[in-house]
Amino acid sequence: MTENLSAFLYLISSICFIMALKGLSSPDSARQGNMFGIAGMTIAILTTLAMPEVMSYGTILAGIVIGGSIGAFIARKIEMTALPQLVAAFHSLVGLAACFVAAAAFFRPEAYGIGTPGNIAVGSLVEMAIGLAIGAVTFTGSIIAFGKLQGLISGKPVTFAGQHPLNAALGLLLIALVIWLCVSQSPTAFWAIFLLALVLGILIIIPIGGADMPVVISMLNSYSGWAACGIGFTLGNSLLIITGALVGSSGAILSYIMCKGMNRSFFSVILGGFGGESEAAAMGGPGGDRSVKSGSADDAAFIMENASSVIIVPGYGMAVAQAQHALRELGDILKSKGVKVRYAIHPVAGRMPGHMNVLLAEANVPYEDVLELEEINRDFSQTDVAFVIGANDVTNPAAKTDPSSPIFGMPILDVENAKTVLFVKRGMASGYAGVENELFFRDNTMMLFSDAKKMCEEIVQALD
């Protein structure tokens, strides 16, 4: 295959990836976006395999079979609620792959046309070091994120005195090691960069609490893209450069959007961390000496059945209980009774961007019924019932009324403006931001203390 033809096919593949990103921006076109992504990756793989530099297909085919089998098994078995930690795990593999490629290029540079051992071009060494460092940070950072999301590690921020100065010192040391590598081309410098970046990946992520985990996921996605981009320069592979830049920039932009949606400083989230789970209050009871109004599934069914409009607000509690199918059934029954039903999605509901959209799509909730915050917020004041199922911080009025609150300024869903708020929750514990929700104690709020799935099923029975 000629160089011009391979470059052309790589260009086609890159266009497919761009179309994939465009398609994935909307639930309506997500399937089409996935097909573009599959087509682009297929073209990229076949083009690479057809290059004359590929001398043996045995190891490559073995890798494809093993990796493809593992991927297919995971895709079939994974629960939608576990997608955030799956994404984090996949990011770790991308980072590790970048480290492996960097090691291969450093110890066998002649195979990549960048020189010989001990005589590698300085530009290639810089690119290699960047890919190695970002890849190692992505690897360990993603493992920590996976552990927090999976519950293997506490979601609370892990902080200690002098944490920021230590990170800054290690960052400067990393730069010094890169310079050492470029000057000496020493294997010791190479592995020192790798080990130091592994440590930095841990130190950067452990102080970030559960409240900011959606930003962490998108940032790690960005890191994995930049790692691939750096390795693309080392290998002289235009497709890796373009694809890595696409993933890196889109992840960074998404992280910025998420920070804006949470009223966070982009750099404070990445460098400092915020939030974390607070100790749970007693199950099913009010916090402190403040009273709340609690009700049953029968009460909720009666109120919603006699409403003209209901807005459902899903949150991570719905995901944990896997209540999306029962919730869709509840919505369908209300629609059959002439009630207008819609779903309101906050941009940071759940543990990753689009988490609620994915779960609702899995339950076959019509796309046209699912609206984002800016599309539906003004409608709460004209809505009879806001049915909140496990969404805490994103509905907390303190974000608008309490300047001392850590979530002050964060855009929220204005559910308190509805005539009646039905709030499904296991107990009175705070959300990931550790802030008590004033909405629980409002006169128009009825608490439904129960598991989200169980409560939805009981309401469905009462409606039937």
Side-chain angles (χ1 to χ4, degrees):
M1 177 178 293
T2 66
E3 184 176 342
N4 288 338
L5 180 57
S6 63
F8 175 75
L9 291 175
Y10 277 158
L11 177 61
I12 296 299
S13 180
S14 301
I15 292 174
C16 287
F17 291 145
I18 294 172
M19 295 301 295
L21 286 176
K22 177 177 173 57
L24 291 172
S25 64
S26 169
D28 292 316
S29 57
R31 289 183 183 274
Q32 185 182 45
N34 273 326
M35 294 307 297
F36 274 116
I38 293 171
M41 186 56 68
T42 301
I43 294 172
I45 292 173
L46 293 178
T47 301
T48 302
L49 291 176
M51 287 184 169
E53 292 88 350
V54 179
M55 306 300 294
S56 174
Y57 293 97
T59 304
I60 295 174
L61 291 177
I64 291 175
V65 170
I66 295 172
S69 299
I70 294 174
F73 176 79
I74 292 176
R76 292 180 64 87
K77 294 295 183 179
I78 194 71
E79 296 287 345
M80 283 292 183
T81 49
L83 276 181
Q85 48 264 54
L86 177 64
V87 171
F90 281 169
H91 288 161
S92 73
L93 295 178
V94 175
L96 187 60
C99 294
F100 283 159
V101 174
F106 181 75
F107 291 101
R108 289 291 303 276
E110 66 276 6
Y112 300 93
I114 58 175
T116 58
N119 190 30
I120 303 174
V122 174
S124 296
L125 286 170
V126 173
E127 296 157 1
M128 190 187 305
I130 291 174
L132 175 68
I134 298 178
V137 168
T138 303
F139 175 61
T140 50
S142 297
I143 289 178
I144 297 299
F146 171 84
K148 288 193 174 190
L149 292 169
Q150 189 67 19
L152 302 176
I153 303 173
S154 172
K156 295 181 180 180
V158 178
T159 58
F160 52 86
Q163 191 168 37
H164 293 313
L166 174 61
N167 288 345
L170 292 178
L172 293 174
L173 178 58
L174 185 62
I175 295 174
L177 289 175
V178 172
I179 296 174
W180 179 27
L181 176 67
C182 294
V183 173
S184 68
Q185 304 200 16
S186 167
T188 302
F190 181 90
W191 292 119
I193 292 172
F194 176 65
L195 294 175
L196 181 58
L198 290 179
V199 174
L200 267 176
I202 296 173
L203 293 176
I204 288 174
I205 301 302
I206 58 171
I208 301 178
D212 292 321
M213 199 51 64
V215 181
V216 174
I217 293 295
S218 57
M219 269 310 302
L220 289 171
N221 178 55
S222 178
Y223 289 167
S224 67
W226 295 124
C229 185
I231 294 301
F233 278 105
T234 301
L235 303 181
N237 189 301
S238 59
L239 182 63
L240 262 181
I241 295 172
I242 295 173
T243 305
L246 282 174
V247 175
S249 57
S250 60
I253 292 171
L254 180 58
S255 300
Y256 174 77
I257 293 173
M258 299 294 286
C259 285
K260 185 177 179 181
M262 298 169 71
N263 191 37
R264 300 285 187 271
S265 162
F266 181 83
F267 291 104
S268 68
V269 169
I270 301 306
L271 300 178
F274 165 85
E277 292 91 341
S278 57
E279 294 298 321
M283 288 282 290
D289 58 358
R290 305 180 69 184
S291 62
V292 298
K293 178 170 40 178
S294 63
S296 65
D298 289 333
D299 297 328
F302 177 80
I303 292 172
M304 287 194 281
E305 189 175 22
N306 289 279
S308 60
S309 62
V310 173
I311 296 179
I312 298 172
V313 181
Y316 189 65
M318 181 196 75
V320 171
Q322 300 186 45
Q324 60 269 27
H325 295 283
L327 186 63
R328 181 197 56 79
E329 185 178 1
L330 169 61
D332 289 345
I333 292 176
L334 290 175
K335 286 181 180 179
S336 69
K337 294 179 179 292
V339 180
K340 183 179 180 180
V341 178
R342 290 171 294 170
Y343 298 78
I345 305 296
H346 192 281
V348 295
R351 290 206 172 174
M352 65 178 291
H355 195 181
M356 296 300 103
N357 303 74
V358 171
L359 292 175
L360 294 178
E362 182 205 13
N364 294 319
V365 172
Y367 295 141
E368 59 271 16
D369 292 344
V370 181
L371 302 174
E372 301 294 332
L373 178 146
E374 62 273 6
E375 298 175 298
I376 200 170
N377 231 12
R378 68 183 64 181
D379 294 348
F380 280 107
S381 60
Q382 302 172 353
T383 298
D384 294 321
V385 178
F387 184 66
V388 185
I389 177 166
N392 198 336
D393 295 329
V394 298
T395 62
N396 194 337
K400 298 185 297 182
T401 61
D402 184 5
S404 65
S405 172
I407 63 171
F408 182 71
M410 182 179 83
I412 64 166
L413 290 162
D414 296 330
V415 297
E416 78 273 13
N417 293 335
K419 294 179 181 178
T420 301
V421 178
L422 300 176
F423 210 119
V424 181
K425 207 170 183 296
R426 287 179 179 269
M428 294 293 292
S430 303
Y432 284 121
V435 181
E436 186 175 62
N437 195 338
E438 178 68 26
L439 184 62
F440 298 164
F441 309 99
R442 296 287 179 93
D443 292 336
N444 63 331
T445 298
M446 177 182 289
M447 300 297 296
L448 304 173
F449 293 112
S450 178
D451 172 82
K453 183 178 181 181
K454 181 180 179 182
M455 177 56 68
C456 287
E457 291 173 342
E458 290 176 351
I459 294 176
V460 167
Q461 293 175 1
L463 288 172
D464 283 339

